[in-house]
Amino acid sequence: MGVVRWTGRETKALRLAHRMTVRAFAARIGVSDRMVSKWEKRGPGIVPRQGTQAALDTLLSVAGTEIQERFATLITEQAASGEDPRTETLLAADVRQYRRHPVDSKLMVLVDEGIYLSGPDNEAQWLPAFWIDVFPTTNADYARYVQDAGAAPPRHWGGDSRCPDSVHDHPVVWVTWHEAAAYAAWAGKSLPTSRQWEKAARGPRGNAYPWGDSATAAKCNVRESGIGHTTAVSRYQSGVSPTGVFDLCGNVWEWCATESRPGRYQLKGSAFTSPFERAAPASFNDASGSMRDDDTGFRCVAAVESMPPAG
């Protein structure tokens, strides 16, 4: 969805789209059910506090396609019936397209073609559309590849071909660029170029960070978080990008297809070992393609024509 100005009316539409009771919805966003009822009764005359606005943004951003489509339909109908000046915008609302990849079954989201702001100087760049993994490749994802392709397991599995249960939903690490590229080839995908990765992270408006322009280390797993290891890829829901992609700052560095010089490839996103100052998606980092470390993983992209039709 585009930017939503939350009022009592939009809040009610989101609750109905989720098909939740007032009490369940209130618990989800961290307020009392009396407060939700008050918002809904007052309609456009109520504007939630900033913290609640952020919670509503997150609840919508992580919702599935079906819920987002119901929400878009509800607020469009409301706007049209009330001669709301936003009607035309709502009718053209950009509902994200999600789809499961046919080989590795990972959830992917479509990043539309168009111009985005690239690099520290915010240069306008155009990219064709592509699909990108919503989450980094996890240990569980990599385990399916190891078993199917006979690839070597990463070292933190202790020589076993099955990943430890404790990290099944954490990003896989200890993989070289070549191993990441081999997984991508097995899945019929590729590693993202640095430009694709950055566009997915910054969105069409060129945000400094996936969540906006505020330097908020608490929205990602970096050194300042004090965690000291990888976390589940869906943990930082407030750090999701405008394109609906998770973990584009912190947790693990991610290999890109872009070669910085022979044998060296760009890395994006920073990691739990890195200071927050290195987390900005426009930042540059690279490493030898043979490097493997406990803070380096990857995600994949797919060409538009390679994905099966919806339904």
Side-chain angles (χ1 to χ4, degrees):
M1 298 290 299
V3 176
V4 176
R5 181 173 63 86
W6 295 102
T7 67
R9 183 161 58 187
E10 281 71 34
T11 301
K12 182 177 182 179
L14 184 60
R15 178 177 69 80
L16 294 176
H18 276 272
R19 295 174 176 166
M20 290 181 176
T21 64
V22 170
R23 180 171 294 180
F25 185 76
R28 179 68 66 88
I29 60 175
V31 300
S32 70
D33 53 345
R34 292 179 59 188
M35 185 66 71
V36 172
S37 296
K38 178 182 177 182
W39 290 339
E40 294 186 359
K41 184 177 180 180
R42 293 280 298 276
I46 286 290
V47 177
R49 293 179 179 177
Q50 185 175 357
T52 307
Q53 296 265 7
L56 292 165
D57 284 340
T58 297
L59 188 59
L60 177 60
S61 70
V62 301
T65 304
E66 184 179 352
I67 292 174
Q68 292 199 8
E69 288 177 346
R70 286 201 297 265
F71 175 74
T73 299
L74 285 166
I75 60 174
T76 299
E77 290 173 350
Q78 291 173 0
S81 64
E83 297 183 356
D84 192 307
R86 295 174 296 162
T87 297
E88 289 188 12
T89 301
L90 296 173
L91 287 169
D94 180 21
V95 179
R96 293 178 188 140
Q97 296 185 55
Y98 292 95
R99 208 165 295 169
R100 292 281 177 186
H101 192 268
V103 178
D104 64 2
S105 299
K106 285 188 67 64
L107 185 66
M108 304 191 80
V109 65
L110 180 66
V111 179
D112 290 326
E113 68 176 348
I115 293 174
Y116 78 106
L117 301 181
S118 173
D121 297 326
N122 288 330
E123 297 180 3
Q125 302 281 350
W126 183 91
L127 279 180
F130 59 94
W131 292 85
I132 189 167
D133 291 338
V134 171
F135 303 105
T137 304
T138 65
N139 287 288
D141 298 325
Y142 204 76
R144 289 191 290 271
Y145 161 65
V146 167
Q147 293 166 11
D148 185 76
R155 59 183 286 183
H156 65 294
W157 293 7
D160 196 342
S161 61
R162 298 178 60 185
C163 71
D165 291 340
S166 60
V167 293
H168 79 278
D169 58 352
H170 290 217
V172 67
V173 292
W174 295 109
V175 290
T176 67
W177 181 91
H178 302 285
E179 290 167 334
Y183 173 100
W186 165 80
K189 302 180 181 180
S190 61
L191 297 178
T193 66
S194 60
R195 287 183 175 182
Q196 287 175 322
W197 193 101
E198 187 178 347
K199 182 176 181 180
R202 301 181 65 186
R205 293 182 177 86
N207 295 341
Y209 301 96
W211 54 84
D213 292 325
S214 60
T216 311
K219 291 181 179 291
C220 55
N221 181 13
V222 288
R223 184 188 297 171
E224 286 86 345
S225 305
I227 296 173
H229 53 75
T230 59
T231 52
V233 295
S234 60
R235 173 170 176 164
Y236 289 93
Q237 297 190 6
S238 64
V240 68
S241 80
T243 51
V245 184
F246 283 67
D247 259 9
L248 289 167
C249 281
N251 219 0
V252 295
W253 288 103
E254 296 185 12
W255 287 114
C256 291
T258 305
E259 203 171 19
S260 54
R261 59 181 189 265
R264 294 185 69 85
Y265 297 87
Q266 290 195 34
L267 292 160
K268 287 287 190 181
S270 77
F272 70 88
T273 56
S274 307
F276 179 70
E277 64 186 25
R278 303 193 68 188
S283 300
F284 174 84
N285 188 23
D286 70 347
S288 167
S290 60
M291 186 273 292
R292 55 165 58 95
D293 211 337
D294 66 346
D295 65 354
T296 305
F298 67 98
R299 76 178 74 219
C300 299
V301 296
V304 171
E305 59 272 14
S306 71
M307 292 290 282

